[in-house]
Amino acid sequence: MGDVSERSLMVCVVLSFSAGVLIGWHGNKMRRRFLDWRKKRLQQQLDATQKKLDLA
């Protein structure tokens, strides 16, 4: 650990933190997109089921 300068260590920590934030932000964005898609799909299934019940 003696041959690693404090500046390079700080740069590595900042880069690692930035990468984690970026990956977390993108993951949350993808999760939100999936949840919106699932909500829309379930709503369409509910509408179709209600239409079938109304016709029966």
Side-chain angles (χ1 to χ4, degrees):
M1 181 90 181
D3 58 346
V4 177
S5 69
E6 188 174 332
R7 181 178 174 93
S8 64
L9 184 64
M10 207 55 151
V11 168
C12 287
V13 168
V14 168
L15 284 175
S16 177
F17 178 77
S18 300
V21 167
L22 187 64
I23 289 170
W25 173 75
H26 187 66
N28 190 43
K29 186 175 163 184
M30 294 299 291
R31 179 179 166 271
R32 277 276 164 226
R33 184 181 289 168
F34 168 73
L35 290 176
D36 289 343
W37 170 80
R38 188 172 71 170
K39 181 180 176 183
K40 190 182 298 183
R41 184 177 60 92
L42 289 174
Q43 187 64 46
Q44 289 172 350
Q45 288 177 349
L46 178 64
D47 291 342
T49 303
Q50 285 177 339
K51 193 178 288 186
K52 285 180 186 178
L53 288 174
D54 288 344
L55 292 176

